[in-house]
Amino acid sequence: MSAKELADTSADPRLSRRLNVLRLCAGALALAGSLAALFPLAAGSLPPSAKSALFYSGFLAVLLGGGSLCAVERYRLKQLLCDSSGAAVDRAAVVDLTYEAEFDRLKNALVSVASHELRTPLNAILGYTEMLQEGTYGPLLSEQRNAVARIVSNIGQLLLLANNLLDHAQLEAGTLALNTVSFSPAELMDGVRGVMDMLARAKNLKLTGHIADDVPAILSGDRQRLHQILVNLIGNAIHFTDEGMVHVRIYRPDAAHWALAVSDTGRGIPEGLLQHVFEEPGQADNPLKRDYSGGGLGLSIVKRLVALMGGKVTVESESGRGSTFTVVLPLRESPAVTREGTG
Amino acid sequence: MNKPFALIIEDHADSAVIFAEALRSAGYETEIARSGSEALERLGATTPDVVVLDLQLPRVAGPDILRQIRADPRLAATHVIVATAHPQMTDSLAGEADSILVKPVSFIQLRDVAARLLPSITLNK
C-alpha cells in the first residue's frame, strides 16, 4: 500500500488537511534532527563532547519525527472509528469485528509507508555526507572526518531499521512472498559489499569476501531477501565489532546445499545468551534486550526469512573472540533461460 | 572527444543534485529532469548514454519511462540505473534496468556503477 492510497482512505478533507499538517511537523522535526547532526561540521571549534551531544540529539529528533508520524496515524485510526458527526460508533461491534484487523492493517501499512518515506530524506543525508567525506566541498580536518564517519555509521543503523520494519510488517501481515529468480552469487556479494563497505570504513574495520570455486555461477533464490539477510548479518557483525574484520563466505557445505557465513572479530556472545539471539527484541524474557538492542529485530527477521526459504541459520560464538553466523540453504541451480538482468 | 552524457530523472531536488554530482565525478556531463513529462521531453531531444531513473515521479511514472526507453531504437545503447525508495517495485524491472539501486543510494556506489559503464559507452561511440 502506498502513501497515496493510505491518504486516499481518509474521507474527510478537513481531517486530511490536519493530518498533512501533522505529517509536515513530523517531517520538519526529522529535518531539524539532520541539521543538528550536521551543524558541528560548520562549527569546527566545538569540543568533541558537544559534537556528540548534537549528533545524538539530531538522530533522536529524526526518530521522534518518525514516532510523531506513528502518532498521526493512530489519531487517524481513532477518527476512522467515529462516524462523520464525530460520535463514537458501536464500540462492541468495532472492537469485535473491525478494530483488531483494521489496526493491524493500518499498523502494517503505516510501517511500510514510514519505511519508504524514511528512504528519501536518508538518501539526501547519506549523499551529502559522502560528498563531504569524498572532499567534494574541500578537504576536511581530521575531527571533521571522524564526525562525518559517525554520521555515516548512524545512517547505516537507520537504514537497517527502515528495511527491517518493512520486512517485519510483511512477515506479520503474512504478505511476504518469496520472489525466486536466477542470480549470480558474485553479484549478490558485490551488491552487499557496495552498501556495507561504507559502514565498515566508518569503524575502521576490514570487510572481506570469498566465494568458493564449487559454488555455481548462477543460483536460484530470492535475491532481494538474500541481500537483506546478508545486510542484517554484516550490519550486526559491524555493530558488535570494534576492531579487526568482518568476513563473508559463500560456499557449499555439501552437494545439496549452499551456505552464507558471516564471521567477525568482535566481542562475541556469552554462551548462556546464544539461544536468545534470534528472538524478537520485544519478548519479555529475552535477556539480550538491554545489551544488544538494535541487533534483535534484524536477526529475528533473518531467522524467519531463512525458514521461509527452507533453510537454517545457526550461530557459533565465544565471548571475546568473535561470532560466526551461518545460513544453510537448499541448492537449486538455475535453469539458464530465466537469467536475471545485471541489476 | 565529447564527455558521455547522463540524464538524471529525479523529482527530489537534493537527491537530483547528489546523483548529478556522482555522475559528474565519474566523468559524465549531466542534466536533471524533475518530472516524468520533462524527462520524456529531454529523452526526445537528447541521446543519453546513461539515465538515472527514480520510479515515483510526477505525471509520468518511472516504470513507464523505462518501457519507453526500451521501446525506442534510438535509445538502444542507453544504460538505465534505477534508483528507488520502493524496493518491492523493482522485481518486475529486473530484466529491463541495467542496475537497480535502492535508496538511500550510496554516492560512492552510484559513482562506481557509473564509472563501470564507461568502457562500454566509449566503445559504442
Side-chain angles (χ1 to χ4, degrees), chain A residues 119 123 130 134 179 342, chain B residues 15 98 103 105-107 111:
Chain A
R119 288 175 195 278
N123 192 62
E130 285 183 298
E134 292 293 294
N179 175 37
T342 50
Chain B
S15 298
D98 292 87
K103 289 179 184 174
V105 172
S106 158
F107 169 85
R111 186 189 61 194

Side-chain angles (χ1 to χ4, degrees), chain A residues 55-331:
Chain A
F55 282 134
Y56 288 108
S57 61
F59 282 105
L60 191 65
V62 172
L63 286 180
L64 282 176
S68 323
L69 271 172
C70 286
V72 169
E73 299 306 334
R74 256 176 205 261
Y75 171 74
R76 214 200 110 214
L77 177 65
K78 262 198 195 153
Q79 295 288 324
L80 273 182
L81 293 174
C82 295
D83 67 17
S84 54
S85 65
V89 290
D90 183 347
R91 284 283 160 190
V94 169
V95 169
D96 284 344
L97 301 172
T98 1
Y99 186 85
E100 283 191 16
E102 178 63 8
F103 186 76
D104 267 4
R105 192 186 66 76
L106 270 178
K107 185 186 77 181
N108 293 328
L110 163 68
V111 163
S112 140
V113 168
S115 100
H116 293 145
E117 295 196 351
L118 270 172
R119 288 175 195 278
T120 302
L122 269 179
N123 192 62
I125 298 171
L126 176 64
Y128 281 118
T129 310
E130 285 183 298
M131 276 154 67
L132 285 169
Q133 208 169 24
E134 292 293 294
T136 307
Y137 302 116
L140 298 181
L141 303 172
S142 90
E143 277 216 336
Q144 290 170 328
R145 254 202 314 278
N146 290 340
V148 168
R150 284 174 53 192
I151 297 179
V152 170
S153 162
N154 280 278
I155 294 168
Q157 286 176 40
L158 273 180
L159 168 60
L160 277 178
L161 185 68
N163 284 336
N164 286 338
L165 282 176
L166 187 59
D167 274 0
H168 189 257
Q170 289 182 327
L171 283 164
E172 288 292 308
T175 54
L176 194 149
L178 292 177
N179 175 37
T180 304
V181 294
S182 302
F183 70 94
S184 135
E187 279 171 18
L188 173 71
M189 178 88 94
D190 282 353
V192 171
R193 286 183 61 185
V195 184
M196 301 311 284
D197 262 340
M198 66 174 189
L199 287 186
R201 270 200 309 269
K203 282 189 83 175
N204 266 329
L205 299 173
K206 240 172 104 171
L207 176 61
T208 55
H210 181 257
I211 301 179
D213 292 338
D214 59 350
V215 174
I218 301 292
L219 289 170
S220 182
D222 186 330
R223 182 184 59 93
Q224 199 188 309
R225 303 294 174 197
L226 287 165
H227 178 101
Q228 176 75 355
I229 287 170
L230 271 177
V231 162
N232 268 317
L233 293 178
I234 298 171
N236 191 61
I238 292 174
H239 189 65
F240 292 114
T241 304
D242 296 321
E243 56 184 321
M245 61 185 293
V246 173
H247 183 63
V248 186
R249 263 193 325 142
I250 299 183
Y251 64 100
R252 281 174 77 168
D254 57 61
H257 296 89
W258 68 288
L260 300 161
V262 176
S263 316
D264 63 59
T265 54
R267 66 180 88 150
I269 305 161
E271 207 185 325
L273 299 182
L274 270 180
Q275 56 178 320
H276 297 287
V277 292
F278 295 110
E279 287 173 8
E280 286 200 18
Q283 288 177 350
D285 58 343
N286 185 347
L288 288 172
K289 67 183 172 180
R290 275 191 211 143
D291 299 348
Y292 290 77
S293 62
L297 191 59
L299 291 179
S300 72
I301 286 171
V302 165
K303 187 181 174 189
R304 291 168 77 171
L305 287 176
V306 170
L308 267 181
M309 294 173 177
K312 206 176 164 187
V313 56
T314 53
V315 56
E316 281 172 75
S317 184
E318 206 178 316
S319 205
R321 305 193 65 174
S323 312
T324 298
F325 285 83
T326 306
V327 173
V328 177
L329 294 160
L331 182 81

Side-chain angles (χ1 to χ4, degrees), chain B residues 20-89:
Chain B
E21 177 58 30
L23 275 281
R24 199 195 58 77
S25 66
Y28 292 77
E29 296 233 21
T30 60
E31 197 181 307
I32 294 171
R34 291 260 157 86
S35 70
S37 44
E38 192 186 335
L40 290 180
E41 190 264 310
R42 295 314 296 150
L43 284 168
T46 61
T47 313
D49 298 296
V50 170
V51 166
V52 179
L53 179 64
D54 182 23
L55 291 184
Q56 199 172 38
L57 289 165
R59 291 182 277 283
V60 186
D64 293 332
I65 294 176
L66 178 56
R67 258 163 242 131
Q68 294 202 31
I69 293 174
R70 290 304 179 226
D72 186 344
R74 199 175 53 81
L75 301 174
T78 299
H79 297 276
V80 179
I81 303 171
V82 166
T84 179
H86 296 262
Q88 78 288 8
M89 275 173 83

